[in-house]
Amino acid sequence: EVRYADGQRWVRHYAPVDPDTPAHTTVPLTSRGVYLITGGTGGLGRIFAEHLARTYQARLVLTGRSPANDAIEAQLHSLRAHGADAQYVQADVAQAQDCERLRDHILSTHGAINGILHAAGITRDAYVLKKDRAQIQAVLAPKVYGTLHLDRAFQDQPLDVFVLFSSIAAVWGNAGQADYAYGNRFMDSVADVREQLRARGQRHGKTVSIHWPLWAEGGMQVDAATQALLSTTLGMRPLSTPEGLAAFTRSLTAAHSQYGVLAGEGERIRGVLAGSGGKQETVVENNASGAGGESIEKIQKEIIREIAIVSKIDAKEVDPDEDLSVYGFDSISMTELANNISKKYAIELSPATLFG
């Protein structure tokens, strides 16, 4: 992730890919193909189940940890209306025996399987200092164990695709989601290894890990303050469903095993990408004045005032040397504070900068 060579620091980063570059192969999705979608009744699971039903009249096996209910039955009915064969199997892919049971069920019912979309995932947002083992294990279970168990259970099957739903948090991180970022980064590494195994004839099917951003519909949702921060600092906006489906199709025909999908102001995003990695040189300047030549003391008072406004406490109670968590800041209020400071000084400030 970080490498020091010849006195210089290098880090992993995104490199822009031209979406108009010709595809290497045809899309490896089959009409009436059999596809397993983990987390199939969640936000993204529903979107991709409908896409496969509409476009390929696929035979779908959706999984989730919850027992079947009226909402799930309504979803299955909708998928069948598109000509698909859809069923729901309650299973926890973080459990090896459940993955083996899924495999046996699919093979006995359909005789084969064409692909897996691993979309299962949960979040338990909190700063690392406030997380306990149970929270971390809950977040890692579907990403780490689920990925490994699915790979092992279906390693002998002639799959066409094995798609892992990762997140841009895997590369950029995210305040309050250290475990989620780790779990998704693990999936990325599995995609790399699985492609190496495929090249040696030990696995089947194109493996790709897609780093999804926020979606306008479905997927992980965030508060308005976080969306505003993404727009202000990165020029990003939530991904539309047609854009997401197009990126999904594109990832199946391209050469790499990992892709990030970003929507918004293209030039600004490319600028962020260009400055986010590769060789980095650090320049430290000691200056007694801040933005616009204002004194550090004045800026400190103004920031304390912003802290007081967001936390709804008296500015006199704010100690500039104290950690903000003492004043009740969480990921949402930290993002709001970063937004306010960014607007006030016309800068691009990440919430991560405010950690003590």
Side-chain angles (χ1 to χ4, degrees):
E1 299 295 321
V2 178
R3 180 177 67 185
Y4 289 88
D6 300 325
Q8 296 174 326
R9 183 175 185 266
W10 301 73
V11 299
R12 291 176 58 90
H13 69 105
Y14 283 125
V17 174
D18 185 353
D20 296 324
T21 302
H24 293 279
T25 62
T26 57
V27 178
L29 297 174
T30 305
S31 177
R32 296 295 295 165
V34 179
Y35 296 98
L36 167 64
I37 305 180
T38 72
T41 61
L44 290 187
R46 294 177 68 92
I47 288 174
F48 282 90
E50 182 175 350
H51 171 63
L52 293 176
R54 284 179 178 273
T55 310
Y56 299 97
Q57 289 72 56
R59 290 173 285 173
L60 301 172
V61 178
L62 312 183
T63 71
R65 294 181 301 160
S66 302
N69 54 40
D70 290 344
I72 292 175
E73 289 300 326
Q75 180 188 0
L76 296 177
H77 179 76
S78 176
L79 294 172
R80 291 165 186 153
H82 295 306
D85 177 4
Q87 57 181 287
Y88 177 79
V89 178
Q90 182 181 0
D92 181 359
V93 294
Q95 304 298 321
Q97 61 270 28
D98 277 19
C99 285
E100 293 167 0
R101 178 169 57 84
L102 271 173
R103 177 201 58 211
D104 295 344
H105 171 79
I106 291 170
L107 295 181
S108 63
T109 303
H110 298 289
I113 180 171
N114 297 93
I116 297 173
L117 278 64
H118 183 25
I122 62 173
T123 58
R124 294 287 187 269
D125 289 6
Y127 295 142
V128 173
L129 289 173
K130 297 182 179 180
K131 281 184 177 288
D132 58 32
R133 178 181 291 270
Q135 290 175 304
I136 294 172
Q137 288 179 332
V139 173
L140 295 185
K143 297 291 184 178
V144 175
Y145 296 112
T147 301
L148 292 177
H149 295 329
L150 286 168
D151 171 64
R152 289 168 183 165
F154 293 91
Q155 62 182 330
D156 296 328
Q157 298 305 309
L159 302 175
D160 297 323
V161 294
F162 189 92
V163 186
L164 303 172
F165 281 23
S166 181
S167 165
I168 58 172
V171 174
W172 284 347
N174 194 28
Q177 293 187 339
D179 44 9
Y180 185 69
Y182 175 92
N184 284 295
R185 182 69 192 92
F186 180 88
M187 297 173 81
D188 299 342
S189 297
V190 170
D192 290 344
V193 172
R194 199 174 188 280
E195 280 294 90
Q196 294 169 18
L197 293 173
R198 182 167 75 106
R200 299 201 293 265
Q202 297 176 342
R203 291 294 189 277
H204 305 277
K206 162 75 173 178
T207 310
V208 63
S209 186
I210 307 174
H211 305 167
W212 293 122
L214 297 174
W215 283 60
E217 303 173 298
M220 302 295 182
Q221 299 297 308
V222 298
D223 54 279
T226 299
Q227 290 196 34
L229 181 71
L230 290 173
S231 177
T232 300
T233 60
L234 303 177
M236 287 176 55
R237 60 168 172 76
L239 191 69
S240 71
T241 297
E243 289 171 331
L245 295 176
F248 165 75
T249 301
R250 183 71 189 172
S251 73
L252 300 182
T253 62
H256 300 289
S257 60
Q258 298 180 38
Y259 285 93
V261 184
L262 306 173
E265 303 172 40
E267 290 304 317
R268 283 192 65 194
I269 291 175
R270 290 187 188 95
V272 171
L273 295 181
S276 66
K279 183 179 69 176
Q280 295 187 345
E281 297 178 0
T282 304
V283 178
V284 180
E285 181 178 355
N286 188 0
N287 198 327
S289 62
E294 298 175 273
S295 70
I296 295 297
E297 289 77 12
K298 180 181 178 183
I299 293 175
Q300 186 180 76
K301 290 180 181 179
E302 292 174 345
I303 291 177
I304 287 175
R305 190 178 303 116
E306 296 294 338
I307 293 172
I309 292 172
V310 174
S311 62
K312 296 180 175 58
I313 63 175
D314 193 314
K316 295 179 181 179
E317 298 179 16
V318 178
D319 181 349
D321 296 321
E322 188 61 85
D323 189 283
L324 290 176
S325 62
V326 171
Y327 305 111
F329 276 82
D330 55 19
S331 59
I332 295 176
S333 54
M334 195 78 82
T335 301
E336 181 182 355
L337 177 60
N339 280 336
N340 293 348
I341 295 175
S342 295
K343 292 177 182 177
K344 184 176 184 63
Y345 295 106
I347 60 175
E348 297 180 356
L349 180 69
S350 164
T353 309
L354 302 176
F355 286 106

